[in-house]
Amino acid sequence: MQINTRATIRPTLAVILMDNDHTSIADVKLPGNQGKEVRLRGWIYRTRGSNRMLFIVLRDSTDIIQCVGSRDDLGEVVFDTARALNIESSISVHGKLNQDSRAPGGYELHLSAVEPVSPAERFPITKDQSEEFLRDNRHLWLRSRKMNAVLKVRSTVTGAIHDFFRSRGYYEFTPPILTPNAAEGGSTLFEVKYYDRKIYMTQTWQLYAEAAIFSLERIYDVSPTFRAEKSKTSRHLSEFWMAEMEAAWMGYREAIEVANQEIKFIIARVLERNRSELEILEADASRLEPLLSREWPVITYTEALEILKEKKMEVTWGKDLRTIEEEALMENFDTPVTVIQYPKEAMAFYKPVEENANAPGPVAKCFDMLAPEGYGEIIGGSERDTDISSISKALEKEGEKVENYDWYLDLRRYGSVQHSGYGVGVERLIAWICKLENIKDAIPFPRTLTRVTP
RNA sequence: GCCGCAGUAGCUUAGUUGGCUAGAGCGUACGGCUGUUAACCGUAAGGUCGCCGGUUCGAAUCCGCCCUGCGGCGCCA
């Protein structure tokens, strides 16, 4: 019998459809399949039942469906075998699809056959688990509806980043992961034994990106980043992914425009492809929909301080904004906000001074994008200083050896041009979109100050 | 680096003016139930109360040290 399927963007589904015998659960639930005989395969998500009736909630990568069997329909042996199967046993089933209001999701399969593929031992994850226990068992928790949904959104997000930049003429450029020295303050780098000497895990692609724009002009990447900051918060990871861009002939104002378009593009793509995942995650899509048609504010650091002053939070001009201040600031907004022109003093060596600013002191051509709902900084970016003497001065002030940056300064010696770039914290973006309480759930296997397993 | 919270069965936990054999739910095993919604009913197994030391007639409970984890700050994406 012919089963209705649909052309789909989900790659997992395409693989499943290559099998002539089995149908995916998502496809079987499409309209017009009621009353048809189908074969499904997957893993047992829940079981319930009595001596005569058996309920198996089956899951595959696409969805879940309730399967019902009776002792009469299945026969003594099959019924008792099926009844004894543990959660997460892999099985293949055959049956007739019906709509039934009693079934979760409205559909259920009336079983005529249940074939165990590989029975599972007792699954360690049951009702009532702590976040900590689930992270200890992340290799198994990946099967949960929550992690399944997050991972699908994550795939959409990174895919959207590639599509966004490639469709605008950017090249993907991959930086080295192992680097000889720091880009911003050496204390936060992981050391690696490299033959007979020490090198470091990268914490940004930026210096290498600045070299590459003189060849490719506009580039982007999505790659891992390592920070040995001893941060123990729900917003920090030791290993995380950054989606960065770097563009020649571009000022920071234009980079902000690109950043706004990029985030809107990603959100639009998630809304287009991951409605049901957002529902599973209880991350209301109506939080995100209105953002697409609105203009996202850009304010200066100095203006931010004025807003904070109205909230009776006095910040001395020149100090970087702290988490509490960012949170207080964002109470005034329900879209992402970009804060520009932070004090030059508080900024990294490569951020140039903005001469045309109306501010009490020197400010940099830089910006941070803050997400609403308390998710904090998701983007940091700036124009890059092209003046060798001011870079050298700033490096010395940070306690860096200028000679370590010799090749970086070379980039200013051979046909330097104005250029800018920024980096998106991929997990922070995903955490916001999926409304996650902890960034550790935005990545499959989180690495933190205390966790390296599984 | 600083501050706070926590550690009792496989999991989630109750248990302080210190006091009988440390309770419960889930899960597991066995039995029962024709439609369940992380079902329900019955029976059973399962605990060095994080470690070490101290106070006491008596410590899961009070004190000290340590270990482990979580979160907040700082720093950042």
Side-chain angles (χ1 to χ4, degrees), chain A residues 26 35 68 74 97 221 234 317-318 324 355 372 408 412 417 447:
Chain A
V68 197
L74 293 172
L97 186 76
D221 79 326
S234 55
W317 198 97
I324 1 164
E355 303 290 353
Y408 184 72
R412 277 73 186 163
V417 296
R447 297 289 177 255

Side-chain angles (χ1 to χ4, degrees), chain A residues 30 53 60-61 87 103 110 123 132 138 199 240 261 421 431 444:
Chain A
L30 289 170
M53 296 292 288
D60 66 11
S61 65
I87 283 174
H110 281 258
F123 200 60
E132 196 46 31
R138 181 53 74 81
I199 56 167
F240 64 97
Q261 287 169 20

Side-chain angles (χ1 to χ4, degrees), chain A residues 32-311:
Chain A
N33 285 335
Q34 285 89 283
K36 291 181 178 170
E37 299 274 334
V38 294
R39 192 172 283 279
L40 303 175
R41 63 183 173 190
W43 294 264
I44 296 178
Y45 184 66
R46 300 277 184 266
T47 58
R48 296 177 283 270
S50 68
N51 196 28
R52 301 229 150 260
M53 296 292 288
L54 169 70
F55 299 90
I56 293 174
V57 179
L58 186 73
R59 66 165 188 87
D60 66 11
S61 65
T62 66
D63 204 349
I64 61 173
I65 191 169
Q66 175 166 285
C67 306
V68 197
S70 67
R71 190 177 282 279
D72 292 342
D73 291 345
L74 293 172
E76 296 288 321
V77 177
V78 173
F79 184 89
D80 287 334
T81 306
R83 183 101 170 79
L85 288 171
N86 283 331
I87 283 174
E88 289 303 323
S89 295
S90 49
I91 61 172
S92 173
V93 299
H94 182 262
K96 191 175 181 182
L97 186 76
N98 282 320
Q99 265 186 312
D100 194 312
S101 58
R102 291 172 295 187
Y107 291 90
E108 65 181 17
L109 193 73
H110 281 258
L111 293 169
S112 53
V114 178
E115 295 156 20
V117 175
S118 180
E121 295 176 23
R122 185 186 68 77
F123 200 60
I125 299 173
T126 61
K127 189 181 166 183
D128 296 331
Q129 317 89 343
S130 61
E131 292 297 306
E132 196 46 31
F133 180 77
L134 295 177
R135 283 178 204 136
D136 286 340
N137 291 282
R138 181 53 74 81
H139 56 298
L140 301 175
W141 186 237
L142 287 182
R143 307 175 182 202
S144 67
R145 297 204 89 195
K146 177 183 175 178
M147 285 308 300
N148 177 278
V150 171
L151 293 176
K152 285 175 180 170
V153 172
R154 187 182 169 98
S155 175
T156 300
V157 167
T158 51
I161 291 165
H162 286 281
D163 290 349
F164 175 82
F165 283 113
R166 284 169 185 253
S167 67
R168 283 162 178 74
Y170 286 71
Y171 294 98
E172 181 176 2
F173 172 78
T174 55
I177 302 299
L178 298 169
T179 60
N181 49 39
E184 13 185 332
S187 62
T188 63
L189 289 162
F190 286 106
E191 284 183 6
V192 179
K193 190 171 167 280
Y194 189 76
Y195 304 111
D196 290 335
R197 55 197 179 112
K198 270 183 212 160
I199 56 167
Y200 305 93
M201 305 290 280
T202 182
Q203 63 174 3
T204 172
W205 83 325
Q206 186 192 319
L207 303 189
Y208 297 96
E210 286 191 60
I213 51 128
F214 291 94
S215 172
L216 298 170
E217 297 197 26
R218 295 186 171 206
I219 56 175
Y220 79 96
D221 79 326
V222 185
S223 64
T225 299
F226 306 88
R227 301 264 168 101
E229 294 158 359
K230 296 192 172 173
S231 306
K232 290 179 283 187
T233 80
S234 55
R235 299 182 310 279
H236 288 86
L237 293 165
S238 299
E239 175 186 286
F240 64 97
W241 289 67
M242 276 230 274
E244 296 159 289
M245 69 78 88
E246 194 76 29
W249 317 103
M250 187 182 282
Y252 75 109
R253 293 280 190 170
E254 194 184 336
I256 292 169
E257 274 304 302
V258 176
N260 277 273
Q261 287 169 20
E262 179 190 354
I263 302 301
K264 284 181 178 178
F265 183 91
I266 292 167
I267 289 171
R269 187 60 74 76
V270 170
L271 288 171
E272 179 189 317
R273 299 192 178 178
N274 298 105
R275 291 271 169 183
S276 59
E277 282 74 32
L278 293 178
E279 223 166 273
I280 288 166
L281 294 167
E282 293 174 1
D284 203 347
S286 64
R287 297 152 50 238
L288 304 172
E289 280 159 343
L291 301 181
L292 297 179
S293 53
R294 292 178 56 183
E295 195 72 22
W296 297 355
V298 176
I299 62 171
T300 66
Y301 164 86
T302 307
E303 287 165 349
L305 256 50
E306 282 163 18
I307 293 172
L308 289 170
K309 197 171 182 181
E310 285 166 22
K311 291 175 168 290

Side-chain angles (χ1 to χ4, degrees), chain A residues 291 294-299 303-304 307 311 326-339 370-374:
Chain A
L291 301 181
R294 292 178 56 183
E295 195 72 22
W296 297 355
V298 176
I299 62 171
E303 287 165 349
I307 293 172
K311 291 175 168 290
E326 286 182 354
E327 279 173 7
L329 179 66
M330 290 308 289
E331 285 169 9
N332 284 24
F333 302 96
D334 50 10
T335 68
V337 175
T338 300
V339 181
L370 307 176
E373 300 179 66

